[in-house]
Amino acid sequence: MKPEPRTLPPSPNWYCARCSDAAPGGIFGFAARTSVFLVRVGPGAGASPGAPPFRVVGELVGHTERVSGFTFSHHPGQYNLCATSSDDGTVKIWDVETKAVVTEHALHQHTISALHWSPTVKDLIVSGDEKGVVFCYWLNRSDSQHLFTEPRAIFCLTCSPHHENLVAIGYKDGIVIIIDISKKGEVVHRLRGHDDEIHSIAWCPLSGEDCLSINQEENSEEPDIPNGKLIAETPITKGCYLATGSKDQTIRIWSCSRGRGVMVLKLPFLKRRSGGVDPTVKERLWLTLHWPKNQPTQLVSSCFGGELLLWDLTQSWRRKYTLFSTSAEGHNHSRIVFNLCPLKTEDGKQLLLSTSMDRDVKCWDMATLECCWTLPSLGGFAYSLAFSPVDVGSLAIGVGDGMIRVWNTLSIKNNYDVKNFWQGVKSKVTALCWHPNKEGCLAFGTDDGKVGLYDTCSNKPPQISSTYHKKTVYRLAWGPPVPPMSLGGEGDRPSLTLYSCGGEGIVLQHNPWKLSGEAFDINKLVRDTNSIRYKLPVHTEISWKGDGKVMALGNEDGSIEIFQVPNLKLLCTIQQHHKLVNAIVWHHEHGSRPELSCLLASGSNNAVIYVHNLKAVLESNPESPITITEPYRTLSGHTAKVTSLAWSPHHDGRLVSACYDGTAQVWDALREEPLFNFRGHRGRLLCVAWSPVDPECIYSGADDFCVYRWLTSMQDHSRPPQGKKCIELEKKRLSQFKPKLKKKKKPTLRLPIKQDSSIGNEDESVRENLAPVENGLSDQDGEEEAQEPELPPSPVVCGEPVSCTAVSLGLEKSKVTVSSKVASLKKEPPKEKPEALLKKRKARSMLPLSTSLDHRSKEELHRDCLVLATATHARELHEDVSADLEERFHLGLFTDRAALYRMMETEGKGHLESGHPELCHQLMLWKGDLKGALQAAAERGELTDSLVAVAPVAGYSVWLWAVEAFAKQLCFQDQYVKAASYLLSIHRVYEAVELLRSNHLYREAIAVAKARLRPEDPVLKDLYLSWGSILERDGHYAIAAKCYLGATSAYDAAKVLARKGDAASLRTAAELAAIAGESELAASLALRCAQELLLLKNWVGAQEALGLHESLQGQRLVFCLLELLCRHLEEKQPPEVRGPSSIYHQWAAGSEGTLVQRVTGVWRSAFSVDTPEQCRAALQKLQDVKYPSATSNTPFRQLLLHVCHDLTLAMLSQQAASWEEAVPALLQAVVRSYTSGNFTLMQEIYSAFLPGGCDHLRDKLGDLSPTMAAFKSLEAFFIYGQLYEVWWSLCGPGSESSIWVWSAESTVSDKQSKPGDSASAEDVEQPPGPGLRLSAESERLLSACKELFSERHASLQTSQRTVAEVQETLAEMIRQHQKSQLCKATANGPNRDEPSQQTEWAPSQPPSPTREERNAPVSLPELTRRLTEANERIAEFPESVKAWPFPDVLECCLVLLHIGSQCPGAVNPEMQQQAQKLLQKYGHTRAYRRHCQIRHT
């Protein structure tokens, strides 16, 4: 049986009590969307050596909706059986070996929420639904039993492992019951204590209640009378413990013999240890449990942030727990855990597997509580795949769950080495593209139009472009800059810019250095360059040729346009496709046939792939654009739209395509032949990528939430499916999850969409938007929806309950968006309305109670008239008349004012009770009580603009009070700007400013303060500084700089601008500091800017940056010398090994004269440095700059800069006739090259600056010069280099005839005698034939080597090596001592390791009869003595010897003796004796001991 392809599976379903389980022997399964994925764990997994022992081995496909439950049979002989429940209403029983359905039932009428296979009855499967119905299904006899004990929503259920008839059920409201299924679901116990959802139930693995020493009387929180039936009547009088985990943050241990709780464990609030989660996300708790079978006194539970806890149940008075994986932070879950299931592997290991909201499946070793391995998963469509061209094997995956995965596919220790990046994404990742040269630089695009850059090598948040696309970003590409970006300042022009193509049909050019700047639409350049007057087509795809000279644009109308840089001249238009172009790829340029690099493959919605050969067009460069209508090759076979293409980097003309027909196809494009067809996906393929290291390996992603790694040679099919096969594949795809939407909430909208983009989008939009959105987005809305009884908790309903976005699969370029704003609109009323609704609505009455009393019966109205007449004509009112008037308050309209006021008061109360306070306030205004109206409104928080507007009528003080009260009310309503405006109306300027500031409205606060306060007011400066600090903290450096400038703090403004660190920011900061008079800061920033540009080989920009400040004149000379030296070194390199072209000055192009002459000429002409005084002034400025010494790890660019600084000092000193300063500077440049190990650079320095040797410097200095010691060191290094040149010429002669010659007697031709470039080590060691002799120049150089044999320097270097060796030995002794102490502390002192510990720090050299004493362990006093003696010897040497470096004398002795052995007679015997004498005397250190022994033998 062929192996399964490596799978990056969908995420396990969320908010399910049991959707993962494991069978004894090593099979683990978890529910993901509509299927179950199977993972083989343990030795039988067949994992590669060194990798974690697990492998995804298959998938159970059959459900049409979300799988809500999964359980294995744990009975011997049927470990291959498992059961699943689904939202489609079915329970299926599977055989995992055949991956087929054995049987199924659809007994439930409501959504199934719980499932368990009985551990005691081999054919019993118990399931429960959200309405409280429980079904018991016996597999062997196909019988079932219906139980309905409680009308509550079931959350979980677990069958007892000790009694075959007992089932524990947990409900949403916190109730837990134990039922007896043999007695028609009779409730044995009703356990009350939890007050929220029951997430998990675990039975104690041991029967009886003797395993835990719990004093039930003391720990019981329940009454003594059990809640269920009498214990004497229950089948569990023997008792058993039961553990339940609830959303109320508690774990309760129950006694089944008593039916009450005996222990309560409160979850601790732990500090989150993992950083891979957005701190703004508020998660709900899910508390799942596992009671280990072999550890009945311990209990495993989840916690708030994804931690796992191991509780110790032996001590009831102490709530003791142990954290899983305390040693490794990155191995913990970062979000809540949903399921825990145990697994015992074939080799007897006890493992625990967990699924979490962080989309990881983790395996834990129960013996160590450490994480063994992690299986990552995907929570959305796999939209994009991209392999890094720099970090080979790093595969970036753009996923619809708002995260980017970077998969290290070459990892040996972990087949699923995946990193997640979610910060700043917050949307579906639809496009990815790695930078061609910069490691870890990944560009991404999202479905909301965002474009950003991620540094995958760091934990920094991404840089986001300030220019958004209006629709989904479908393609990203790196290419050379085109105008106007290429015409900008030298410091602002990157070598590569980022191009993005969006769904609105626009291609934008982003500056990766300044993503905060505006991105440019290339349409303007295309229109101007090609004088296009017509409407440009809608762009849907972009692709740059490998050499960066040609760009291809695909369009919505099916056309493809080819443009030439730098101005995007249109070369040709390909009119082949007639539908939207989805993919364009150029053939690679590193094949055996270079002409194939002009092949362009394209795919569109019409299912046919075309390949065009544009070689003739690119070579002819036509004046006017031509039109191509015939393809070079046609690849037919797909039956749906083609979404992605990729050329094989290992073959010529081999192409792979991804298609909506659910397959990936490999083609031989040159022969138009289909080769291999992959059909492993269950959805429409969206992306495909060819492995850069394995010719047979391909990765593909689809809308089934999977990424597959598959091999071409393992495929059974050679071409896409046709006919019936295509129909079967479509049925397989349609079996995916299609959630049902509520009919009441489904809006009926008519959307103007294109026909092409509407095909097949609806299903995708429904599935994708109901899928969870990953870290960085809030899950709160989804969790609230998951709690509704109409829609049970679902792993695919937790991200976007409002937005419904239809995204075209396969990066289809038309997109329809139904935003939350549109979806929330009310339904439109019917077109035909009744006439009554067409009438104008009548205004509400001010006196509704009085009006209603005037519409009573005729008798009551007559009575009103009599009462009114009595009141108006009576001289004095009787008590009965007054009572009638109070009862008939509406008559106040016709009597005196007091009665009218009473009527208005009654009417006002009626308005308040009916919810119309504004009418009550108007009545109070009518009776002149404006102040009372304002007070009443203020007390109720119902002041309005109109009330405050009339407040001045009641007086100035009332108006002030009303405005203040209204401002407070507006603050409670979060209308701070409006509240500040009202405060300004009463001249409370400071209060208004403080109000805006306290609510972080700094921009508005500054505007108010600037307009109303004096310019010198300290409040204004404080506002600027406060806002600037906040902006600086948030990374908005440019705006923060403006704030500091507003506060007259230019220094801080320049510093904050420089924090960005890029060349453009540094240059701006330097200019700002110069304008503000901060000379020192300006100079330092300008130098930093020049150094940043130096890394980019932008010499022109670097000189411009240095020109910003006069004090950097000396640095300009250094950079000039550096530019000329780099140009000089580059010209010596073969063209094929040269790096990317640099931006040189025109004066760097000349080649007349030596390098020194060219440098001095440019200094004179370009920088006006000619006279000795000018040289002395520049020298003084440069002498203050000190660079650290070089090491072997010093970057080459940095080394060059430091060397050129020293060379500039030397040249300036020479021109100023200061030879005492020139020699040390030149020596320093040589020593930097020597200590860094760059011999080539050292020789170039000598050939360029000392072509005739060092003799002329001796004449300039004189014998009594204080720098003669430095001169001798410089001369020694010169001879040292020449010595190696002679030695290497003997091993592999070069073209220089001055080093070696062939004798006239030799008959061997020159061509035959020269060794090849790749000579072996044996060839090098063999001495040359008798015909080879040294030239006179070489013999003269060898005679000069006596200057290298300085005994003082040999003694000094030996002492220094002795000190270094002793210090190294001491350090090793300390390490071994610490190691031994650690071993004793952990293993009680393993004596067997002591001998090895004693010899590990001893000198490690082969035994020698003459050096036996050196192999013995050295004691600490002996090492101390050696160190003291060596330091004393070093102190005796004069400072002139110690101050200046010198070549290694013993090394020179060995080289000279080797030359003498190769060319007998070429070396003076006296010199050979002197070299041997030095080796014998000073060659006892570890570095030279072996070489000296070889010489003696």
Side-chain angles (χ1 to χ4, degrees):
M1 183 177 178
K2 68 176 184 178
E4 292 283 338
R6 189 188 302 176
T7 309
L8 203 57
S11 300
N13 292 341
W14 294 355
Y15 303 115
C16 297
R18 183 182 286 107
C19 67
S20 65
D21 199 7
I27 282 290
F28 166 69
F30 63 90
R33 304 180 77 230
T34 64
S35 59
V36 174
F37 279 81
L38 302 175
V39 182
R40 172 70 67 179
V41 182
S48 57
F54 75 97
R55 183 168 56 91
V56 180
V57 295
E59 183 181 5
L60 304 181
V61 180
H63 288 291
T64 58
E65 295 187 27
R66 178 186 70 112
V67 175
S68 58
F70 174 74
T71 176
F72 268 108
S73 169
H74 290 262
H75 298 277
Q78 58 181 37
Y79 292 152
N80 60 314
L81 297 181
C82 63
T84 58
S85 63
S86 171
D87 291 349
D88 60 12
T90 63
V91 172
K92 296 180 185 290
I93 289 83
W94 306 77
D95 186 340
V96 296
E97 294 180 355
T98 62
K99 301 181 180 62
V101 176
V102 177
T103 185
E104 65 178 278
H105 73 78
L107 301 173
H108 288 277
Q109 301 298 317
H110 305 282
T111 303
I112 305 172
S113 55
L115 180 73
H116 193 211
W117 197 306
S118 173
T120 55
V121 182
K122 64 186 303 183
D123 64 337
L124 174 61
I125 299 102
V126 183
S127 56
D129 60 36
E130 61 180 14
K131 295 299 182 181
V133 177
V134 176
F135 274 98
C136 300
Y137 180 79
W138 287 268
L139 173 64
N140 294 340
R141 62 177 188 260
S142 298
D143 190 12
S144 63
Q145 182 180 10
H146 173 275
L147 305 174
F148 184 68
T149 56
E150 298 284 340
R152 298 183 174 95
I154 295 176
F155 247 65
C156 59
L157 62 82
T158 304
C159 300
S160 171
H162 312 298
H163 197 287
E164 63 181 16
N165 295 324
L166 295 184
V167 178
I169 305 175
Y171 292 93
K172 183 176 181 179
D173 57 3
I175 297 295
V176 179
I177 65 172
I178 301 176
I179 65 172
D180 188 340
I181 61 175
S182 65
K183 298 180 180 180
K184 299 183 179 180
E186 177 182 346
V187 177
V188 178
H189 288 299
R190 181 174 284 104
L191 309 176
R192 300 181 183 273
H194 292 293
D195 54 10
D196 213 332
E197 303 165 358
I198 305 298
H199 292 160
S200 180
I201 297 177
W203 291 86
C204 180
L206 293 184
S207 179
E209 298 182 357
D210 299 329
C211 57
L212 299 181
S213 57
I214 299 176
N215 188 342
Q216 298 182 5
E217 298 297 332
E218 295 179 0
N219 291 276
S220 174
E221 297 184 359
E222 305 295 335
D224 292 337
I225 301 175
N227 293 318
K229 303 295 181 180
L230 294 177
I231 298 176
E233 299 177 2
T234 66
I236 52 172
T237 55
K238 204 171 131 182
C240 181
Y241 287 119
L242 184 73
T244 56
S246 171
K247 189 181 178 182
D248 63 7
Q249 306 176 10
T250 63
I251 303 168
R252 292 180 180 266
I253 309 296
W254 309 86
S255 168
C256 294
S257 63
R258 300 193 171 202
R260 65 184 184 184
V262 296
M263 184 184 298
V264 179
L265 305 176
K266 180 73 173 178
L267 288 186
F269 287 94
L270 303 174
K271 183 178 180 182
R272 186 183 294 274
R273 296 174 291 166
S274 301
V277 66
D278 193 338
T280 62
V281 174
K282 183 179 179 182
E283 297 177 354
R284 61 175 289 178
L285 170 68
W286 191 273
L287 207 168
T288 184
L289 303 175
H290 163 61
W291 208 321
K293 188 173 183 180
N294 57 347
Q295 297 172 330
T297 60
Q298 295 180 332
L299 182 68
V300 181
S301 78
S302 61
C303 199
F304 292 99
E307 301 88 355
L308 295 183
L309 309 178
L310 181 65
W311 297 87
D312 185 358
L313 306 179
T314 58
Q315 299 174 345
S316 60
W317 63 90
R318 291 180 59 193
R319 302 298 180 248
K320 185 179 179 182
Y321 60 86
T322 304
L323 274 172
F324 275 57
S325 188
T326 56
S327 61
E329 295 184 1
H331 289 173
N332 295 282
H333 285 294
S334 60
R335 302 180 75 176
I336 55 176
V337 175
F338 292 114
N339 293 135
L340 298 171
C341 60
L343 185 147
K344 186 176 182 180
T345 60
E346 298 172 355
D347 53 357
K349 284 187 177 181
Q350 294 290 341
L351 305 178
L352 183 68
L353 294 115
S354 58
T355 62
S356 168
M357 187 181 277
D358 64 6
R359 307 193 186 284
D360 283 342
V361 177
K362 290 184 179 292
C363 177
W364 308 85
D365 188 342
M366 290 300 294
T368 62
L369 303 186
E370 294 294 333
C371 180
C372 305
W373 48 261
T374 300
L375 173 63
S377 62
L378 307 182
F381 295 179
Y383 284 106
S384 180
L385 298 174
F387 271 104
S388 171
V390 179
D391 185 10
V392 179
S394 289
L395 175 64
I397 309 172
V399 190
D401 57 8
M403 288 203 296
I404 302 170
R405 272 78 166 180
V406 177
W407 185 0
N408 181 11
T409 60
L410 300 185
S411 176
I412 299 176
K413 296 182 179 180
N414 185 3
N415 291 333
Y416 292 94
D417 184 4
V418 177
K419 292 182 180 180
N420 297 334
F421 299 90
W422 54 266
Q423 286 182 300
V425 180
K426 298 183 179 180
S427 188
K428 302 165 190 172
V429 183
T430 54
L432 293 171
C433 188
W434 292 93
H435 193 284
N437 307 319
K438 187 176 180 181
E439 183 178 5
C441 182
L442 177 64
F444 67 91
T446 65
D447 76 324
D448 59 358
K450 182 190 305 178
V451 176
L453 282 179
Y454 241 117
D455 183 2
T456 61
C457 299
S458 69
N459 295 324
K460 297 180 180 179
Q463 303 178 52
I464 305 299
S465 174
S466 61
T467 306
Y468 276 59
H469 285 278
K470 296 180 181 179
K471 294 186 178 181
T472 301
V473 179
Y474 287 112
R475 188 69 69 204
L476 296 170
W478 291 92
V482 298
M485 194 169 294
S486 62
L487 302 178
E490 296 292 342
D492 299 334
R493 186 172 61 192
S495 59
L496 291 173
T497 56
L498 180 63
Y499 295 84
S500 61
C501 182
E504 75 275 22
I506 295 176
V507 176
L508 297 177
Q509 180 185 199
H510 306 264
N511 187 345
W513 292 355
K514 292 167 42 172
L515 283 179
S516 58
E518 181 184 0
F520 299 102
D521 182 0
I522 68 170
N523 275 350
K524 184 178 185 303
L525 178 62
V526 171
R527 188 182 296 275
D528 295 343
T529 301
N530 301 283
S531 301
I532 297 177
R533 304 300 178 192
Y534 52 84
K535 180 182 177 182
L536 291 175
V538 176
H539 304 307
T540 59
E541 179 71 352
I542 180 173
S543 178
W544 281 91
K545 196 171 181 291
D547 56 8
K549 297 180 180 179
V550 180
M551 177 184 69
L553 287 181
N555 301 317
E556 189 180 34
D557 60 4
S559 63
I560 300 174
E561 297 170 310
I562 309 299
F563 296 92
Q564 187 181 45
V565 294
N567 296 321
L568 298 187
K569 175 187 174 184
L570 181 61
L571 297 180
C572 68
T573 301
I574 302 174
Q575 296 286 356
Q576 200 66 55
H577 297 284
H578 301 291
K579 291 185 179 180
L580 183 145
V581 177
N582 290 316
I584 299 176
V585 286
W586 291 90
H587 195 281
H588 58 82
E589 299 188 340
H590 53 267
S592 59
R593 301 171 58 182
E595 67 275 7
L596 297 181
S597 63
C598 297
L599 294 184
L600 180 70
S602 58
S604 70
N605 285 358
N606 61 1
V608 180
I609 302 170
Y610 295 107
V611 180
H612 289 86
N613 190 347
L614 303 178
K615 185 174 184 296
V617 176
L618 299 181
E619 291 179 352
S620 63
N621 192 9
E623 292 293 333
S624 59
I626 62 176
T627 302
I628 298 177
T629 57
E630 292 297 327
Y632 175 66
R633 294 289 186 268
T634 302
L635 307 178
S636 301
H638 283 300
T639 57
K641 66 178 67 174
V642 177
T643 56
S644 181
L645 299 171
W647 290 100
S648 167
H650 313 282
H651 310 84
D652 288 335
R654 185 165 292 189
L655 182 74
V656 61
S657 59
C659 181
Y660 257 29
D661 60 12
T663 68
Q665 178 65 42
V666 179
W667 310 83
D668 185 337
L670 301 181
R671 295 190 297 173
E672 297 182 333
E673 179 184 352
L675 301 177
F676 312 101
N677 185 255
F678 175 69
R679 303 182 182 182
H681 285 281
R682 286 204 307 122
R684 300 169 291 193
L685 269 71
L686 306 178
C687 50
V688 67
W690 211 301
S691 171
V693 295
D694 189 346
E696 284 199 349
C697 179
I698 297 175
Y699 294 79
S700 57
D703 66 357
D704 58 0
F705 290 44
C706 290
V707 170
Y708 282 101
R709 174 191 181 273
W710 49 277
L711 303 177
T712 56
S713 60
M714 293 295 177
Q715 304 313 308
D716 298 330
H717 307 279
S718 61
R719 60 177 61 248
Q722 305 290 330
K724 293 183 179 180
K725 293 181 180 180
C726 186
I727 296 175
E728 293 174 359
L729 200 65
E730 183 68 11
K731 288 181 180 180
K732 178 182 175 183
R733 184 186 66 79
L734 292 177
S735 66
Q736 293 189 90
F737 173 47
K738 295 181 182 178
K740 299 178 181 178
L741 295 178
K742 298 179 181 179
K743 296 182 179 179
K744 294 181 179 180
K745 295 185 178 181
K746 184 176 180 180
T748 56
L749 297 174
R750 298 179 62 187
L751 299 174
I753 58 177
K754 297 182 180 179
Q755 185 175 358
D756 282 347
S757 62
S758 65
I759 300 175
N761 282 358
E762 183 178 355
D763 293 342
E764 178 197 347
S765 66
V766 171
R767 287 195 302 272
E768 184 72 357
N769 284 280
L770 289 178
V773 177
E774 188 45 53
N775 302 349
L777 292 180
S778 174
D779 297 293
Q780 186 65 27
D781 295 337
E783 290 163 2
E784 291 174 358
E785 183 173 348
Q787 297 174 17
E788 297 177 3
E790 293 83 6
L791 191 60
S794 169
V796 292
V797 185
C798 59
E800 301 167 281
V802 179
S803 174
C804 185
T805 306
V807 180
S808 163
L809 276 181
L811 308 184
E812 186 178 343
K813 314 307 182 194
S814 298
K815 176 184 171 186
V816 182
T817 302
V818 183
S819 66
S820 59
K821 181 178 179 181
V822 176
S824 62
L825 295 177
K826 296 181 179 180
K827 293 184 179 180
E828 297 180 358
K831 296 182 179 180
E832 296 182 1
K833 300 180 180 180
E835 294 183 1
L837 296 178
L838 297 176
K839 293 182 179 179
K840 198 170 184 180
R841 188 170 184 179
K842 191 176 181 180
R844 185 177 298 274
S845 173
M846 290 293 297
L847 304 171
L849 298 179
S850 301
T851 304
S852 63
L853 291 176
D854 284 337
H855 288 79
R856 293 180 297 171
S857 63
K858 186 186 296 185
E859 290 78 9
E860 291 293 333
L861 294 179
H862 291 169
R863 178 60 181 167
D864 289 343
C865 293
L866 293 176
V867 173
L868 183 59
T870 303
T872 54
H873 290 83
R875 294 181 179 180
E876 294 181 3
L877 295 178
H878 301 289
E879 293 182 1
D880 53 349
V881 176
S882 299
D884 288 341
L885 287 176
E886 290 181 2
E887 181 182 356
R888 303 174 185 271
F889 64 89
H890 63 290
L891 295 180
L893 190 63
F894 307 99
T895 56
D896 55 3
R897 180 176 294 181
L900 179 65
Y901 282 178
R902 288 196 300 270
M903 183 192 76
M904 287 185 173
E905 184 178 355
T906 304
E907 292 282 1
K909 291 180 179 179
H911 286 310
L912 292 177
E913 292 175 358
S914 60
H916 300 287
E918 69 281 357
L919 299 181
C920 177
H921 301 154
Q922 291 186 33
L923 288 177
M924 298 181 72
L925 289 176
W926 285 5
K927 66 180 183 179
D929 189 10
L930 178 58
K931 185 176 181 180
L934 293 172
Q935 289 177 345
E939 291 175 359
R940 299 173 59 88
E942 295 167 349
L943 283 172
T944 61
D945 295 281
S946 58
L947 281 176
V948 177
V950 299
V953 177
Y956 181 73
S957 60
V958 175
W959 174 60
L960 291 179
W961 173 85
V963 171
E964 291 179 354
F966 191 37
K968 292 180 181 179
Q969 176 182 315
L970 290 173
C971 289
F972 282 115
Q973 299 170 353
D974 295 338
Q975 301 185 46
Y976 305 111
V977 176
K978 188 175 181 180
S981 301
Y982 270 93
L983 290 176
L984 290 175
S985 67
I986 58 175
H987 305 289
R988 302 288 178 85
V989 180
Y990 288 102
E991 289 86 345
V993 171
E994 182 59 30
L995 174 63
L996 294 171
R997 173 182 178 174
S998 61
N999 291 282
H1000 303 288
L1001 298 170
Y1002 284 96
R1003 193 181 298 274
E1004 292 79 2
I1006 291 174
V1008 171
K1010 196 83 171 176
R1012 300 293 292 270
L1013 298 178
R1014 293 174 291 107
E1016 63 273 11
D1017 197 305
V1019 173
L1020 184 59
K1021 183 174 182 180
D1022 189 44
L1023 280 174
Y1024 280 127
L1025 294 177
S1026 300
W1027 193 24
S1029 62
I1030 292 176
L1031 291 169
E1032 183 178 359
R1033 181 189 63 195
D1034 295 339
H1036 305 295
Y1037 301 130
I1039 307 177
K1042 295 178 186 178
C1043 292
Y1044 291 137
L1045 288 174
T1048 64
S1049 181
Y1051 184 88
D1052 291 334
K1055 293 286 287 184
V1056 72
L1057 270 179
R1059 287 189 60 183
K1060 185 74 173 177
D1062 60 293
S1065 299
L1066 290 171
R1067 175 162 183 165
T1068 304
E1071 293 178 352
L1072 191 154
I1075 294 173
E1078 301 287 348
S1079 300
E1080 185 176 352
L1081 179 62
S1084 64
L1085 292 176
L1087 182 59
R1088 282 182 58 193
C1089 177
Q1091 292 172 348
E1092 287 293 327
L1093 292 169
L1094 176 63
L1095 298 177
L1096 304 172
K1097 294 186 178 181
N1098 189 345
W1099 303 100
V1100 177
Q1103 286 289 353
E1104 290 179 353
L1106 294 174
L1108 296 175
H1109 205 274
E1110 296 178 356
S1111 64
L1112 298 177
Q1113 179 69 16
Q1115 292 293 341
R1116 298 192 70 185
L1117 301 181
V1118 175
F1119 275 62
C1120 172
L1121 174 58
L1122 178 59
E1123 181 177 354
L1124 292 171
L1125 179 60
C1126 289
R1127 185 64 180 267
H1128 175 73
L1129 296 176
E1130 184 177 312
E1131 290 174 350
K1132 288 192 173 185
Q1133 293 179 347
E1136 59 271 10
V1137 300
R1138 295 179 185 176
S1141 59
S1142 305
I1143 307 175
Y1144 291 111
H1145 288 86
Q1146 293 183 354
W1147 40 258
S1151 58
E1152 297 81 6
T1154 64
L1155 179 62
V1156 175
Q1157 293 173 347
R1158 291 164 58 189
V1159 171
T1160 54
V1162 174
W1163 283 1
R1164 187 182 306 110
S1165 60
F1167 302 100
S1168 301
V1169 178
D1170 191 9
T1171 63
E1173 292 76 14
Q1174 293 174 335
C1175 294
R1176 173 59 60 184
L1179 183 62
Q1180 292 177 352
K1181 295 178 181 178
L1182 288 177
Q1183 284 176 338
D1184 297 333
V1185 181
K1186 303 296 182 182
Y1187 290 118
S1189 59
T1191 65
S1192 58
N1193 296 321
T1194 302
F1196 182 67
R1197 294 180 184 274
Q1198 181 180 344
L1199 175 66
L1200 273 181
L1201 176 62
H1202 296 176
V1203 167
C1204 288
H1205 180 269
D1206 297 329
L1207 294 177
T1208 304
L1209 291 175
M1211 290 188 62
L1212 290 174
S1213 300
Q1214 288 181 7
Q1215 294 189 14
S1218 179
W1219 298 100
E1220 287 76 10
E1221 296 177 350
V1223 171
L1226 191 58
L1227 174 62
Q1228 184 64 30
V1230 173
V1231 170
R1232 287 187 192 276
S1233 305
Y1234 172 76
T1235 55
S1236 66
N1238 199 320
F1239 185 85
T1240 303
L1241 181 60
M1242 185 180 73
Q1243 292 301 93
E1244 287 292 339
I1245 293 174
Y1246 276 115
S1247 64
F1249 293 88
L1250 296 174
C1254 304
D1255 294 338
H1256 71 286
L1257 292 179
R1258 186 193 304 272
D1259 299 336
K1260 297 289 184 181
L1261 292 175
D1263 295 337
L1264 301 179
S1265 173
T1267 58
M1268 183 54 65
F1271 168 77
K1272 289 183 178 180
S1273 293
L1274 180 65
E1275 184 181 30
F1277 276 108
F1278 175 78
I1279 299 173
Y1280 171 83
Q1282 297 298 320
L1283 177 64
Y1284 265 96
E1285 291 283 356
V1286 173
W1287 185 32
W1288 288 342
S1289 69
L1290 296 176
C1291 300
S1295 59
E1296 292 85 352
S1297 59
S1298 62
I1299 301 297
W1300 59 276
V1301 295
W1302 293 90
S1303 63
E1305 291 82 3
S1306 176
T1307 58
V1308 182
S1309 66
D1310 183 62
K1311 181 177 180 181
Q1312 293 175 345
S1313 60
K1314 291 184 181 180
D1317 294 336
S1318 58
S1320 63
E1322 291 79 9
D1323 297 335
V1324 174
E1325 293 298 330
Q1326 290 176 357
L1332 180 66
R1333 65 178 179 82
L1334 293 176
S1335 65
E1337 179 67 18
S1338 299
E1339 293 179 354
R1340 187 187 67 80
L1341 289 174
L1342 290 179
S1343 63
C1345 289
K1346 62 183 179 181
E1347 299 293 337
L1348 296 176
F1349 300 154
S1350 170
E1351 187 164 354
R1352 288 197 306 177
H1353 287 95
S1355 177
L1356 174 62
Q1357 292 168 359
T1358 301
S1359 300
Q1360 292 172 341
R1361 278 192 288 267
T1362 301
V1363 171
E1365 290 178 4
V1366 170
Q1367 291 175 344
E1368 180 182 352
T1369 304
L1370 286 173
E1372 182 64 24
M1373 290 178 66
I1374 294 173
R1375 285 193 295 268
Q1376 292 298 331
H1377 177 72
Q1378 293 175 344
K1379 182 179 178 180
S1380 64
Q1381 293 297 321
L1382 181 62
C1383 293
K1384 290 179 182 179
T1386 56
N1388 297 323
N1391 296 327
R1392 62 182 180 275
D1393 294 336
E1394 290 181 0
S1396 63
Q1397 294 170 5
Q1398 293 177 357
T1399 58
E1400 280 182 5
W1401 52 266
S1404 57
Q1405 69 273 352
S1408 173
T1410 61
R1411 304 287 186 184
E1412 290 180 358
E1413 70 279 0
R1414 299 188 184 275
N1415 292 324
V1418 184
S1419 63
L1420 183 61
E1422 174 65 18
L1423 290 174
T1424 305
R1425 183 188 64 79
R1426 293 182 187 179
L1427 184 63
T1428 304
E1429 292 178 354
N1431 286 327
E1432 289 176 353
R1433 288 195 301 269
I1434 293 175
E1436 295 174 356
F1437 289 97
E1439 291 297 326
S1440 60
V1441 176
K1442 294 187 290 185
W1444 306 108
F1446 199 87
D1448 193 328
V1449 176
L1450 299 185
E1451 177 188 352
C1452 297
C1453 293
L1454 288 173
V1455 173
L1456 186 70
L1457 292 176
H1458 190 77
I1459 294 176
S1461 64
Q1462 285 185 311
C1463 298
V1467 182
N1468 190 343
E1470 295 180 359
M1471 292 179 59
Q1472 291 189 14
Q1473 292 178 2
Q1474 186 179 1
Q1476 292 176 354
K1477 180 180 178 182
L1478 289 174
L1479 285 172
Q1480 292 175 359
K1481 185 175 182 180
Y1482 299 107
H1484 58 271
T1485 57
R1486 189 182 307 169
Y1488 284 97
R1489 190 178 301 130
R1490 184 174 63 87
H1491 301 287
C1492 295
Q1493 292 173 358
I1494 294 175
R1495 297 296 305 177
H1496 287 119
T1497 56

